[in-house]
Amino acid sequence: QVRLVESGGGLVQPGGSLRLSCAASGSIRNIDAMGWYRQAPGKERELVTTITSGGSTNYADSVKGRFTISRDNAKNTVYLQMNSLKPEDTAVYYCNVFARSSWSRPPLAFWGQGTQVTVSS
């Protein structure tokens, strides 16, 4: 099994910054793609950004130029630097990791427990 532990959420004023972290642990042979999703009240969960094992990134249009995803493969950790935050960024943020426990098995999707980000004055 793979366990994901998120940290870094909180309350920030509009225009402020936050950095989220998500550390994976457990039976991990390899981690493929890592990413962040978010879910605002009354809305469906949506993709924020992803990063492949090779470092290629993808961003939702709503966060391009403001959010940056990165990963530290040695620490099995993915980060989300969020700048110029807006009230509409308020949501629970979830990390998502595709990991495999052995090379003979396909990668499986794992989810973090979620961390609340609130942007408000």
Side-chain angles (χ1 to χ4, degrees), residues 51 86 94 99 105 112 115:
I51 184 167
K86 304 175 181 180
Y94 298 90
R105 294 178 178 272
T115 185

Side-chain angles (χ1 to χ4, degrees), residues 16-52:
S17 298
L18 282 175
R19 188 189 194 214
L20 306 183
S21 299
C22 174
S25 63
S27 181
I28 299 173
R29 169 63 65 184
N30 174 259
I31 294 179
D32 292 343
M34 308 178 86
W36 292 92
Y37 289 70
R38 68 186 180 186
Q39 187 167 19
K43 295 187 177 181
E44 293 186 354
R45 189 174 298 189
E46 63 175 1
L47 172 69
V48 176
T49 178
T50 60
I51 184 167
T52 68

Side-chain angles (χ1 to χ4, degrees), residues 4 7-8 20-21 30 39 41 55 62 72 89-90 93 97 116 120:
L4 302 179
S7 60
L20 306 183
S21 299
N30 174 259
Q39 187 167 19
S62 59
D72 185 332
D89 294 318
T90 296
Y93 284 70
V97 166
Q116 177 70 46
S120 175

Side-chain angles (χ1 to χ4, degrees), residues 2-6 22-25 28 31 34-35 76 78 94-99 109-114:
V2 175
R3 180 171 178 243
L4 302 179
V5 178
E6 302 175 16
C22 174
S25 63
I28 299 173
I31 294 179
M34 308 178 86
N76 288 337
V78 62
Y94 298 90
C95 73
N96 169 256
V97 166
F98 281 87
F110 297 92
W111 292 91
Q113 80 282 3

